[in-house]
Amino acid sequence: MKKIAALLLIFLLFTVTFPGSDTISSEEQRENASPWPGFRRGEKNTGLSHHSTRQVDGTVLWSRLARGKINSSPAIAEDGSIYFGSDDGFIYALNPNGRTIWWFETYGVVHSSPSLDRYGNIYIGSDNDKLYSLMPNGQLNWSFDTDDIVRSSPTIGYDGTVYVGSSDGRLYAIEPDGEERWRVETGGAVTSSPAIGDDGTIYIGSGDGHIYAVEPDGMVKWRLETGGAVNSSPAIGKDGSIYIGSGDGHIYAVDPAGTVKWSFDTEGAVSSSPAIDQDGGIYFGSEDITFYALNEDGTLKWSFDTDGPIISSAALGSEGSIYFGSNDGHIYSLDEHGNLRWKTDTGEPVISSPAIGGKDRLYAPSTNGILYAFMGVPSAPENLTITVDDGELILRWNASLDKGGDDITGYRIYKGGDVDSLRWVVQVDPETRYFSDSNVDIGETYYYRLSALNAAGEGPRTDIVNATAAVLPDPPMDLEASPGDNKVELRWEPPDNDGGGEIQYYRLYREEEDEDLTYLDSVKAPAQEYIDENVTNRINYYYYVSAVNEAGEGDRTEGVRAMPTPSYSLTYCFFLPTIMIASLLILWFLHWYRRWGKKSPPRLDINYKGSKR
């Protein structure tokens, strides 16, 4: 028993964690559940999503009108539900299609942004001086009273503690059951939203012009004075550095000990909360109407001017796209280099911050009282090809690599007689990867391209492919086979009917006596001859030729026979008879010489006609 108890004690020592140890943060716990669980996405307030928004092109999927202005930034639940507050005093819950699930009345303007815990409970403040905890179905868990309006957005710690500021000048730590754990007094209204470091330290700004660092037990670790009210919310980098803006026009980089590493000066108050990308780049807006991108060392990377002050805080897609609002009434999207991707005019200032609700989904409210849902369209289908099949044109393709913010609902096929006359002719099911077009005229060239569709609309189209409609060609004409010495020369004429498509090449076949027909070779058109040197003299060969166009291979010709034979030179043909005659004369002479010895042989005269004289 003692050994078992000792083992249990060791296990507990290694598994129990404390603030300041290497714990799994609530941000990490919720990472695979909610795509955007609260203002600035997580407890470090980086504003960086783990989802790509590459296909979000400014297309509005739907919009939802509240009964008051929207200064609250949305939070997105695991199931895609969207939560936000409005100046009408209500907290709204919408489904991913924009329909209202429920609403909860607070009897006060709601500028605070909701935050979700790992169980889906919603925490949000109101101008009725309360912080609310709601169940996912909209029922009240509890409410917590402060002494002034609550426009700070709550942040949830790894242990479920809720941290929130109030305009009564305090930072509150509230237990998951709604009981106060501690409070910290500052000298000004706290509209900044807390950020939590890896060691459990809570960072927040105050209207008294200071940045505060507070221990998990509520003791102030340090405070740093700036030259203006700090309404911006802090963001924490990978190295623990804290980035935060101030009403004095600066953004500050502060190390965990409270020492300023650097500051960057703008020409207006910085109420926007900074966002931090994967490489440590810092992104924020200023009331000088400019949006800034800084390197990790505080040097300027680029800037982008709008037509109004920027209070909205940026959301970053994992691929580098940047989203924010401006008081000029636009929702902006920039690429990682500061180039404008698109902008949407809402007609009223955009003060709240966009939220990324999953892959290729973006939600952004405006003070016109409308929440806009943007969803990415699919990328173009991949690897579109076209082939000709005996009077039909066959299209084949692969699915889009990026389906956008929703499932692909179909593929749209465009067709035309030239590149300028393409029009939509048919839409096929999302599972289809093949289309056969028999509505073509033989000999005519047709052009095609495709696009993919989802709930947001039509994505970009593929490159254009084209082909000429054709049927199989007739056999070539007048095939001739001329035998030679260990070779056969073949010649033919093109077919009378090329099938409507240009002859691309000819296929040659050969058959030996008592052997099967075999493929011999191909000849690229317009060539119409071929020499077969892989033959043996005095063997019969039979040859066949077919024509090939875009539609395929046509019928073969009738076979023609050829027997290669040796060839003799002119010199050989002239001297052979001479040698034979000389040989006969020598033999005759030797015969008579042996018979008569040295006597002269009888005279043999041969006249012109070959008779004796």
Side-chain angles (χ1 to χ4, degrees), residues 221-234:
K221 183 187 292 188
W222 51 259
R223 66 176 189 167
L224 176 68
E225 185 175 7
T226 72
V230 183
N231 297 315
S232 169
S233 299

Side-chain angles (χ1 to χ4, degrees), residues 78-131:
E78 180 181 4
D79 64 358
S81 298
I82 305 121
Y83 305 99
F84 65 95
S86 169
D87 285 9
D88 62 12
F90 284 89
I91 301 163
Y92 290 91
L94 309 181
N95 71 13
N97 295 321
R99 294 186 178 182
T100 301
I101 303 172
W102 52 257
W103 60 86
F104 181 89
E105 188 170 11
T106 69
Y107 302 99
V109 169
V110 181
H111 280 200
S112 173
S113 299
S115 188
L116 312 177
D117 67 15
R118 73 188 70 173
Y119 306 109
N121 297 310
I122 304 109
Y123 302 87
I124 190 169
S126 171
D127 279 13
N128 68 353
D129 304 347
K130 294 180 182 292
L131 174 74

